[in-house]
Amino acid sequence: MAVATLPAFRTKAFINGEFREAASGQTFVTENPATGQPLADVAAGDAADIDAAVRAARRAFDDGRWSQLAPADRKRILLRFADLLEANAEELAMLDSLEAGKPITDCRDVDIPETVKTYRWFAEAIDKVFDAVAPTGPEALGLIVREPIGVVGAVVPWNFPILMATWKVAPALAAGNTMVVKPAELTSLSTIRMAELAVEAGVPEGVLNVVPGLGETAGQALGRHPDVDMVTFTGSTEVGRYFLKYSAESNLKRITLEMGGKSPQVVLADPPDLDRVTEQVLIAGLMNMGENCSCGSRLIVHRSVQQELVANLVRGLEAWPVGDPQEPETRLGPMIEKPHLDKVLDYIEEGRSEGARVVTGGERTLDETGGYFVAPTIFDDVRNSMKIAREEIFGPVISVIPFDDEDEAIALANQTNYGLAASVYTRDLERAIRFSRAIRAGTVGVNAYSEGDITTPFGGYKESGFGGRDKGLEALEQYTEKKTIWFQLG
Ligand code: NDP
């Protein structure tokens, strides 16, 4: 592995501005998925640590050290925080690359710059949004004001460790809330470091707390805690459902869920430049090793262009080297852990046994490294009813599903329990509009794979999302309560 010096690892919980061992004294081991070797022993927080963090966050909320600051003052601190994250970009990129097996170039060029941008954008927004005055008669004055919700819990996944935490933390802190974040057990390090930098930037102690730990213990304790006002979650649909249950069985805390996907990339008979389509389809299917909730894993393609596009995709894979994530030219790192590697390989076998044809890939690779690498895989002649076309694989696997007429393509695109993202490729503007309206997904890219940017909301229809959106002013809004203040005059 080409890492000269490892950054220092912060491996303890960060509660009330200080590092703490887990109350139980327990730790768990994280490993480098590119080598299968252990990286760090991390504090295994559980219900006791979550409770301590929630109490710190509650005190910080109630005494107004953050929630009662003028928006312009919170903005100043959050901008300083963004600057500090930027100044430490190399270290943060390295932490995510080492723990998640993400290509270092992606971490440097995408995850960390997007993290910095997200804090800046929400910081800049908060002293520019206004509350409302109700259209009353002269006998009353009705104010509709937004207030922070209180203590917000965030439970986040391992695929974009610091960025997914940031999509929650930036708007929630900007709105004046205090927080407890439970990172994925596989990837805690960058989030713990981020919280330390927040305090260095002037975010008061107790406002941003991080408790590493397991989902079933720490995650569940946060979901069930009676003094948490909201939980925002990104991860699998299966675990998302638990949070609705935790809320129902505790204090009816607000829940927002950003979950899985099985996103269609629909290529009509008149695609724009096929080279560009090829490039976009490969990004959609392979970015972050396919460990991406909006992964465009179903390529629904008109039969007239199927053959040429598949041949192009195979050639295009030359630009996607698999290898050591620390090497700048690597575009595909390992799967996050051995059980996930096995799961992806099982899906590939299932695809074969259901009659889909492997055009390229279809196997583990670079075994000698000890890492969990899968060769990028393209299945042709897939039917939408096959398991590989229905279930989220979360690996570098693209399924090509041919169609003959456009209504069939729309039906195929929508034949899924998910609805996170989609793309349509066509030269015809009216077709593009028709498809983007007909596809039931939170984001539809036209002639590109896209999640939009920080200004646009991101989240899913159907089983991909519940109760809110990440990014955009919608995200800021969802971390607030609305209050009516009514003045009866005369
Ligand atoms: P999970 O949904 O299991 O994990 C997401 C977060 O929830 C993690 O912090 C996890 O903790 C926590 N969690 C797990 N179980 C519970 C529980 N019972 N109560 C409370 N919190 C819990 O995703 P995985 O990381 O296990 O990945 C499994 C699959 O989920 C993937 O293969 C993929 O299909 C999908 N996924 C989707 C993502 C998305 O962006 N939409 C992101 C990640 C995964 P811990 O890490 O300790 O398990």
Side-chain angles (χ1 to χ4, degrees):
M1 192 178 58
V3 184
T5 45
L6 291 177
F9 297 147
R10 273 74 169 172
T11 56
K12 297 178 185 165
F14 191 73
I15 299 175
N16 208 28
E18 58 181 37
F19 288 110
R20 296 189 194 171
E21 306 282 2
S24 66
Q26 300 290 307
T27 57
F28 60 87
V29 182
T30 58
E31 63 175 23
N32 179 343
T35 62
Q37 296 300 311
L39 257 188
D41 288 322
V42 179
D46 62 19
D49 308 279
I50 289 288
D51 188 54
V54 171
R55 277 189 280 115
R58 173 58 62 193
R59 271 196 309 278
F61 185 77
D62 286 350
D63 71 15
R65 68 184 88 160
W66 183 249
S67 56
Q68 297 298 320
L69 285 187
D73 292 332
R74 284 204 300 273
K75 167 175 125 176
R76 211 168 15 82
I77 295 169
L78 289 175
L79 288 177
R80 207 182 305 141
F81 180 25
D83 290 346
L84 263 184
L85 291 165
E86 195 168 47
N88 290 277
E90 186 57 30
E91 175 195 348
L92 295 165
M94 183 77 89
L95 292 176
D96 274 0
S97 177
L98 285 171
E99 253 195 332
K102 294 168 67 84
I104 187 73
T105 303
D106 288 358
C107 297
R108 283 184 186 137
D109 294 351
V110 182
D111 294 49
I112 307 303
E114 286 298 318
T115 294
V116 171
K117 189 197 285 180
T118 302
Y119 281 106
R120 288 199 177 126
W121 194 83
F122 283 106
E124 288 290 358
I126 49 181
D127 60 353
K128 296 168 193 73
V129 288
F130 291 77
D131 291 333
V133 178
T136 59
E139 73 291 347
L141 172 64
L143 304 182
I144 305 162
V145 299
R146 292 190 201 83
E147 296 184 340
I149 290 188
V151 176
V152 176
V155 177
V156 290
W158 41 259
N159 52 348
F160 294 84
I162 194 169
L163 185 57
M164 288 304 99
T166 295
W167 280 10
K168 315 296 192 187
V169 174
L173 289 194
N177 299 285
T178 60
M179 295 195 77
V180 178
V181 181
K182 205 294 283 176
E185 78 194 69
L186 302 170
T187 55
S188 314
L189 301 179
S190 60
T191 306
I192 299 173
R193 177 70 174 130
M194 178 175 85
E196 185 187 26
L197 290 171
V199 169
E200 202 178 318
V203 174
E205 290 165 359
V207 169
L208 177 59
N209 306 279
V210 177
V211 179
L214 308 193
E216 275 164 27
T217 50
Q220 174 159 200
L222 195 53
R224 291 188 181 279
H225 201 291
D227 206 22
V228 170
D229 300 292
M230 170 175 178
V231 167
T232 173
F233 167 82
T234 296
S236 61
T237 298
E238 183 192 353
V239 174
R241 289 179 205 278
Y242 292 151
F243 280 95
L244 295 178
K245 185 165 131 80
Y246 300 155
S247 170
E249 290 176 358
S250 58
N251 61 342
L252 290 178
K253 56 181 65 67
R254 184 182 298 180
I255 300 289
T256 63
L257 307 173
E258 198 270 276
M259 300 171 288
K262 197 70 199 172
S263 298
Q265 300 281 306
V266 184
V267 181
L268 301 183
D270 63 343
D273 173 18
L274 211 58
D275 286 343
R276 179 171 159 74
V277 176
T278 303
E279 177 199 272
Q280 292 295 306
V281 166
L282 288 175
I283 293 173
L286 302 182
M287 190 187 86
N288 210 48
M289 293 69 77
E291 293 174 334
N292 176 14
C293 51
S294 61
C295 172
S297 50
R298 289 188 302 144
L299 178 57
I300 299 174
V301 54
H302 193 268
R303 224 177 276 276
S304 63
V305 285
Q306 177 186 6
Q307 217 180 348
E308 191 182 351
L309 182 56
V310 170
N312 272 10
L313 291 173
V314 173
R315 268 199 308 278
L317 285 178
E318 284 165 19
W320 287 83
V322 186
D324 181 349
Q326 298 295 314
E327 294 293 345
E329 66 276 9
T330 293
R331 287 186 83 186
L332 289 166
M335 300 288 88
I336 183 74
E337 59 172 345
K338 178 68 167 50
H340 190 58
L341 168 74
D342 293 341
K343 182 174 143 185
V344 172
L345 294 174
D346 285 350
Y347 272 116
I348 291 173
E349 277 322 301
E350 189 86 25
R352 280 195 177 100
S353 69
E354 283 194 280
R357 185 166 60 84
V358 175
V359 181
T360 182
E363 70 218 345
R364 186 176 181 178
T365 182
L366 302 178
D367 312 27
E368 67 283 2
T369 60
Y372 311 129
F373 298 89
V374 176
T377 300
I378 298 175
F379 274 109
D380 203 355
D381 298 326
V382 177
R383 289 188 310 281
N384 205 48
S385 55
M386 291 178 181
K387 201 168 167 184
I388 51 170
R390 281 186 288 113
E391 298 185 12
E392 187 174 45
I393 299 175
F394 234 56
V397 182
I398 298 174
S399 293
V400 179
I401 306 169
F403 72 88
D404 295 299
D405 77 74
E406 289 184 10
D407 288 339
E408 184 191 357
I410 292 174
L412 286 168
N414 285 332
Q415 260 165 31
T416 168
N417 293 340
Y418 295 112
L420 190 55
S423 289
V424 57
Y425 299 86
T426 172
R427 274 197 295 260
D428 182 309
L429 184 61
E430 286 188 22
R431 278 190 175 134
I433 294 170
R434 176 164 169 253
F435 267 78
S436 40
R437 288 190 168 150
I439 294 176
R440 293 186 43 75
T443 302
V444 180
V446 176
N447 290 334
Y449 161 74
S450 178
E451 292 184 356
D453 68 10
I454 186 61
T455 65
T456 55
F458 179 76
Y461 284 29
K462 302 195 269 184
E463 292 181 19
S464 290
F466 180 91
R469 290 288 188 262
D470 288 322
K471 304 198 298 180
L473 288 179
E474 284 77 0
L476 191 61
E477 179 87 25
Q478 81 195 357
Y479 294 104
T480 63
E481 284 283 14
K482 277 221 175 88
K483 178 182 277 179
T484 296
I485 302 178
W486 190 262
F487 294 79
Q488 194 64 50
L489 308 174

